[in-house]
Amino acid sequence: MDEILPTQEIGSLSRHLMFKENLSNSDIKSIIEQGISLEVPNIELLEKLLLEGGYRKYPEEIEKFASLFAIKLFEKVGLDIIFNGEQPRKEMYHYPLQFIEGFRFVGEVRVFDNQYFPKGEVIAEPKLKIPYHLNEFLFVKENTKKKIKIPITGAYTLADWSFNTFYQKKWISKLGDYYKEKYEAKRELAIELAKKIIRENLKALIENGAEIIQIDEPAATTVPEEIPIFVESLNESIKGLNAKFHCHICYSRDYSILFPNILEVKNLKQLALEFSNRDSIELGVDEKSRRGFSFLKKFKQFSSSLEIGIGVVDVHTDFIEPVELIRDRILYALKVLKDEKTIYVNPDCGLRTRNWDVAKNKLTNMVKAVKEVRISLK
Amino acid sequence: MIKLYLTGLFPRNKSLRRALRDYDKKLIDRDALKKIYTEETIELVNLQEKNDFDFIYDGMLTWQDFLRPLCNSKSIFAGPLIRWFETNFFYRVPLIKDKIEFTKPSLSEFYLLNLIKEKSSICLLDPISFLHLSENNYYRSFDELFYDFSNYLIKELEFISHNHTLSAIHLVSPILGFQKIDLNEIHLLEQFIKNLKKIAPSANISLNLYYLKVYENIRYLSEIQADIIGLDLCYGDREKIAELTKEISSKYSLGLIDSFISYAEAPEYVIREINKIVNKLNIKEEVYLTNSSELDRLPYEIAVEKVNLMGKIKKEYKNG
């Protein structure tokens, strides 16, 4: 990477308006205007497709256009490492499950407030139908000169977010201890997913030129006793593969429980974590103002080898963090870690719950803040 | 004899989820949303009645999380999203920014008690859990904070109890199940429960330990003097919990209906487990059966299936 403090997105943008059914003329007009301002090529074709039925009639073409919009937005904002805003994916859990045999959806479960996600149940041994991120990667590769990072939902998170009916029934009454049976069932599922699903996807991506891959594991620290399962599954997914691997984890009660186990994952290069959600919005590089970043001290103690991606904007609020606030968050990380070469700058998490204007403004300020810090370090 | 009750947020069904989405997008107004809340609460009350539940609650369908309704005062504000224990649900941390004082009742709005004909009960977090899950930016000592918060809570509950005959108040205590707490905090909780009994003398007070996997607090449970001790028996070591909880209470509630698995347990399996624990704990009187922790971790249809399962178990147990 040429510059210090490389900027990256964690993954998603909200699904673009162009996916909506029954778009009004004013919707189409605003999409086209946005496309022109982002300098998206073939915008006339998009207008034609939207007028003739849109996503319902031309799903693949619309997915590609939405991806192009995201790529152009990230490029225009000035991010160093980009992807497609996960536009073809409805959701980070729902999307991969469509390509895995052995799962079925059983209903929606709440994540927070009025937000729900469709929850799957494992009813047979998982089998990969086809590598499910290859087409989107090839499309991004064709359409940008920027560095590309592909986010992929990790094995432990897929296991943790699913009802583990198949393996629990297999283990029940085998050990005479309900807790241990559930643990072993979870381990077996996570390792099966790592070997049969995630690793196969990664191999397909790397064979086609992928260089940076982010394993999304938001569930990694959910159950402290299961950290060994998470670490084993991550290892099984990436060991011996030739790419740079990042792992994104967020909204943890305590990131420090990842250590020392996470250091056993030899092929892991970076942890990208959420911090700003728990931070104050006061300016300053003191501990009180930057209380959301307190884990960085422990990170420095624990890890000598890993890079860290610091979440400098909160993805759960429309508040646009001023450049000065983001700058101070970065400066605080530099003050604690004392090594600018190991720090990457990103939002806390994917920006799926924000609209594109908010996402763009947050990312724009993030890039501006990084530029200010780079200048101040020269 | 088996008795039944539920605790915790119950999942919302499809029509309520849709109505909430529409309300957030301003496609329906508050009255239309209120109508759906009413309909869905009545359905849940009917489900419990049909299954011969002994305490009936409203399912807390209006609650965004266990703590939010108490973030309405001038001193407690909803803060950032944080993971709810070892689940994939997130709650907003209450930020305590000023002295907590009772001005006028607001908690009662979150209980739809008018829709319950008899055997009404309410459920809420115990104050120790609430404060552990909050961020205190005002008080210098925990005792002082607890004193003000518990007084505030008691006044809210007094208002509810004054206007409704409650047969039970279910305190949910994830903190007592999940992490070791100080003896001083046990005494504070004990005092809170004494005060609760004064304002609702006819209500059974249950203390339900969710996510029970830390066992140090168990020895203090008899001091707390709740009428019913509820144990999550699907999270930690079931045998060990049963061993440690011997003779701490005259009435137990067994959380054997697992809120983390998607299939309804076989009735014969649950009955076998009940019998094992009843023998181990030497329970002579009735025993309660309940959900291990909040059913909101399950899709609505599965939660309903589990409620029907509980009714079936009660019937089968009665028939020997």
Side-chain angles (χ1 to χ4, degrees), chain A residues 72-331:
Chain A
K72 295 293 175 192
L73 182 130
F74 291 149
E75 286 180 344
K76 226 172 176 67
V77 159
L79 292 179
D80 298 310
I81 305 167
I82 68 165
F83 198 53
N84 64 356
E86 299 182 15
Q87 289 301 298
R89 313 179 193 179
K90 194 175 169 193
E91 202 260 345
M92 67 175 290
Y93 171 78
H94 180 271
Y95 181 81
L97 255 55
Q98 297 170 91
F99 302 94
I100 308 172
E101 283 175 24
F103 280 82
R104 70 171 175 199
F105 288 104
V106 286
E108 291 190 343
V109 172
R110 179 150 45 165
V111 187
F112 66 94
D113 293 0
N114 300 333
Q115 302 291 321
Y116 288 77
F117 83 99
K119 190 145 176 167
E121 177 183 39
V122 190
I123 50 168
E125 280 180 21
K127 280 189 192 133
L128 182 64
K129 293 178 193 167
I130 49 161
Y132 42 79
H133 291 317
L134 189 55
N135 287 342
E136 52 173 347
F137 166 64
L138 293 174
F139 182 78
V140 177
K141 203 172 132 188
E142 253 177 54
N143 285 285
T144 188
K145 290 191 171 64
K146 292 265 184 184
K147 279 200 174 280
I148 299 169
K149 179 186 69 176
I150 309 120
I152 170 169
T153 308
Y156 179 80
T157 293
L158 289 178
D160 190 61
W161 289 2
S162 303
F163 291 119
N164 191 4
T165 306
F166 177 75
Y167 291 100
Q168 272 170 4
K169 286 189 173 171
K170 187 175 161 187
W171 279 92
I172 198 155
S173 301
K174 269 199 175 166
L175 303 174
D177 180 332
Y178 191 66
Y179 170 77
K180 280 185 191 149
E181 286 158 4
K182 273 172 111 177
Y183 185 93
E184 288 304 325
K186 177 86 161 273
R187 183 187 164 276
E188 191 172 356
L189 171 61
I191 302 305
E192 288 289 284
L193 287 168
K195 287 180 178 171
K196 293 181 178 166
I197 309 298
I198 305 303
R199 192 172 175 81
E200 293 308 308
N201 269 293
L202 299 178
K203 277 158 70 177
L205 289 166
I206 293 164
E207 278 164 16
N208 284 279
E211 292 172 354
I212 310 171
I213 301 174
Q214 173 182 285
I215 313 289
D216 286 329
E217 288 283 16
T221 59
T222 308
V223 185
E225 290 82 358
E226 292 181 6
I227 291 289
I229 300 180
F230 155 64
V231 166
E232 188 183 353
S233 69
L234 186 55
N235 235 337
E236 288 295 338
S237 302
I238 69 176
K239 67 181 179 191
L241 297 181
N242 187 23
K244 184 185 178 204
F245 288 105
H246 298 192
C247 182
H248 167 61
I249 300 171
C250 50
Y251 306 103
S252 172
R253 286 166 65 87
D254 183 6
Y255 291 122
S256 61
I257 60 172
L258 289 164
F259 293 90
N261 304 50
I262 190 90
L263 300 173
E264 291 167 21
V265 188
K266 302 292 179 217
N267 212 8
L268 182 67
K269 188 69 182 163
Q270 181 179 125
L271 272 181
L273 307 176
E274 153 270 335
F275 292 101
S276 294
N277 163 65
R278 57 188 89 196
D279 196 36
S280 86
I281 56 169
E282 291 146 28
L283 297 183
V285 292
D286 57 293
E287 281 176 21
K288 189 170 172 245
S289 309
R290 296 288 68 84
R291 56 182 172 269
F293 289 72
S294 60
F295 170 69
L296 287 177
K297 284 190 172 174
K298 285 187 184 168
F299 178 80
K300 187 168 172 56
Q301 285 169 11
F302 286 129
S303 172
S304 56
S305 55
L306 287 172
E307 296 170 348
I308 187 155
I310 51 169
V312 294
V313 295
D314 182 357
V315 301
H316 286 131
T317 161
D318 282 347
F319 168 68
I320 308 296
E321 289 83 350
V323 174
E324 297 76 18
L325 173 61
I326 303 173
R327 176 203 61 202
D328 284 358
R329 287 173 173 167
I330 300 166
L331 288 174

Side-chain angles (χ1 to χ4, degrees), chain A residues 106-114 116 119 121 160-161 163 165 168-169 172 177-179 182 218-219 222-225 250-253 277-278 291 316, chain B residues 9 12 17 20-21 24 63-64 68 80-81 83 85-90 92 178 213 234-238 258 260-263 269 296-299 302:
Chain A
V106 286
E108 291 190 343
V109 172
R110 179 150 45 165
V111 187
F112 66 94
D113 293 0
N114 300 333
Y116 288 77
K119 190 145 176 167
E121 177 183 39
D160 190 61
W161 289 2
F163 291 119
T165 306
Q168 272 170 4
K169 286 189 173 171
I172 198 155
D177 180 332
Y178 191 66
Y179 170 77
K182 273 172 111 177
T222 308
V223 185
E225 290 82 358
C250 50
Y251 306 103
S252 172
R253 286 166 65 87
N277 163 65
R278 57 188 89 196
R291 56 182 172 269
H316 286 131
Chain B
L9 280 62
R12 294 158 170 167
R17 294 198 302 274
L20 284 161
R21 272 195 281 266
D24 287 344
W63 294 46
Q64 296 294 53
R68 198 77 53 85
L81 283 172
R83 189 180 294 282
F85 294 89
E86 296 174 349
T87 73
N88 290 304
F89 176 71
F90 295 82
R92 289 206 178 272
F178 193 77
K213 68 171 190 179
C234 297
Y235 214 71
D237 184 333
R238 196 177 282 177
D258 196 333
F260 284 86
I261 63 168
S262 59
Y263 54 92
Y269 166 78
D296 200 26
R297 302 291 79 78
L298 296 170
I302 295 171

Side-chain angles (χ1 to χ4, degrees), chain A residues 36-55:
Chain A
I36 292 167
S37 78
L38 289 170
E39 299 174 53
V40 173
N42 282 330
I43 203 73
E44 306 76 17
L45 174 62
L46 174 63
E47 186 170 21
K48 185 171 169 282
L49 297 176
L50 293 175
L51 286 167
E52 285 178 5
Y55 183 60

